[in-house]
Amino acid sequence: MLRSGSIGDEVLTLQKGLKAAGYDPGPIDGAFGPKTDAAVRALQESCGIDVDGVVGPQTVAKIYEEQASARSAASGFGVVPAAAEEEEGDGPAPL
């Protein structure tokens, strides 16, 4: 488990994951400091899990879920552009 004061490659991976999920961990430097702690707590709160700042299995799973949601939203997958709705044709507009 990771928590405030942890350092190393696992924290670096955590920080990258938080950033990709839309939570600002501060500098991506491998040090679990106050900004990383705040990002972890914000994620925990928004996901409805115990807000303790400790990154255990439940928090890690939520980070992956949030990353997938952020990637899906950024790609626009499943969204038909407004201009495509106005076009006439035999089917959906190509993506």
Side-chain angles (χ1 to χ4, degrees):
M1 286 201 247
L2 300 173
R3 62 188 54 160
S4 187
S6 297
I7 56 171
D9 289 341
E10 289 181 334
V11 176
L12 195 65
T13 300
L14 167 66
Q15 291 169 327
K16 289 177 183 178
L18 286 165
K19 187 165 185 87
Y23 297 88
D24 182 11
I28 308 295
D29 59 4
F32 196 133
K35 289 189 176 192
T36 300
D37 184 66
V40 167
R41 290 174 185 273
L43 175 128
Q44 290 173 329
E45 183 175 355
S46 75
C47 291
I49 58 179
D50 289 340
V51 179
D52 58 7
V54 176
V55 181
Q58 191 175 18
T59 300
V60 169
K62 291 296 182 183
I63 291 170
Y64 285 119
E65 287 175 25
E66 292 288 311
Q67 284 179 1
S69 294
R71 279 194 304 269
S72 181
S75 72
F77 181 73
V79 176
V80 178
E85 293 176 358
E86 297 172 8
E87 294 178 356
E88 293 183 28
D90 293 328
L95 297 176

